[in-house]
Amino acid sequence: MARLTLIHPDDATGDAAKVLAALPVKLNIFRMLAHAESCVLPQVRLGTAILSSLDLGHRRRELLILLVARVEDGAYEWRQHVPIALGVGVPQAQIDAIEQANLADNAFDNAERALLAFGKQVIEAVRVEDSVFTEVRRHFSEREIVEAILVIGFYMTMARLTEVTQTDLDPASGMTVFDSFQPRDTSA
């Protein structure tokens, strides 16, 4: 049971009420985040940008999110993002390798191994060794490297939110939320 009360959408006020009303699924993570009424909208906007408009791409983003969940023991994020990862084309073998902390597995290509080694050092040490940075730079643009750092930081924050507050796990609905954050083609 969560350490803090989950805000019911009918009881939310201000930006928290707007955010919860707009979500297709009222996941507990958002109901917990609603306590920070002045931060909930900017946090959700950042999460939306991360899920919808990175040059880094969906598959690589999900690899990093799963890495954060694995390293941080973020059960909530793992539950929600495994289906998203599968939905955007991450092979089960890569998910299994991350779950087993086997980041050098042959399931990953050289760019993915470089990204995961980079991500692991960002998560665990904050700083990244020169050799690891040089390797990630061989495969990724400056924009993608900064995006990777932002993905990691965002999901480290969300893991801390859910783990510290012991937010109750929802059924996996992350793909529904992910789909709702994708840009719509309005030209048709």
Side-chain angles (χ1 to χ4, degrees):
M1 183 158 176
R3 289 176 161 168
L4 302 176
T5 305
L6 295 170
I7 305 261
H8 191 279
D10 294 339
D11 298 330
T13 59
D15 284 345
K18 292 176 194 169
V19 165
L20 291 175
L23 291 169
V25 180
K26 311 314 183 224
L27 293 174
N28 290 338
I29 193 169
F30 298 116
R31 293 176 59 203
M32 187 61 73
L33 185 60
H35 281 287
E37 187 177 321
S38 62
C39 296
V40 67
L41 185 57
Q43 190 76 356
V44 169
R45 283 182 176 156
L46 177 57
T48 301
I50 287 170
L51 290 177
S52 66
S53 55
L54 299 182
D55 276 5
L56 188 62
H58 296 317
R59 289 182 63 244
R60 290 174 170 160
R61 178 205 62 231
E62 289 303 318
L63 292 176
L64 286 172
I65 293 169
L66 292 177
L67 178 63
V68 170
R70 168 62 173 83
V71 172
E72 300 286 315
D73 291 324
Y76 194 100
E77 291 70 29
W78 187 267
R79 176 174 287 181
Q80 295 303 322
H81 281 272
V82 165
I84 295 172
L86 291 167
V88 300
V90 174
Q92 184 66 51
Q94 289 183 339
I95 294 168
D96 294 344
I98 290 172
E99 187 173 28
Q100 297 162 11
N102 186 2
L103 306 182
D105 194 279
N106 288 332
F108 303 110
D109 64 26
N110 289 337
E112 292 163 340
R113 280 192 288 276
L115 183 65
L116 291 169
F118 172 80
K120 188 170 189 296
Q121 287 193 1
V122 170
I123 296 163
E124 293 180 342
V126 180
R127 289 159 186 81
V128 175
E129 296 169 6
D130 288 341
S131 61
V132 171
F133 193 84
T134 297
E135 186 63 17
V136 83
R137 183 122 190 210
R138 286 186 52 228
H139 299 281
F140 296 95
S141 70
E142 292 178 353
R143 176 179 173 160
E144 291 170 317
I145 291 168
V146 171
E147 288 175 347
I149 296 165
L150 293 174
V151 168
I152 291 165
F154 180 85
Y155 281 92
M156 287 177 72
T157 297
M158 300 312 278
R160 281 162 174 73
L161 174 70
T162 57
E163 292 303 316
V164 169
T165 63
Q166 297 178 0
T167 301
D168 301 317
L169 296 177
D170 287 301
S173 301
M175 199 63 192
T176 301
V177 175
F178 169 77
D179 286 341
S180 75
F181 288 165
Q182 298 314 299
R184 302 288 178 235
D185 182 7
T186 58
S187 63

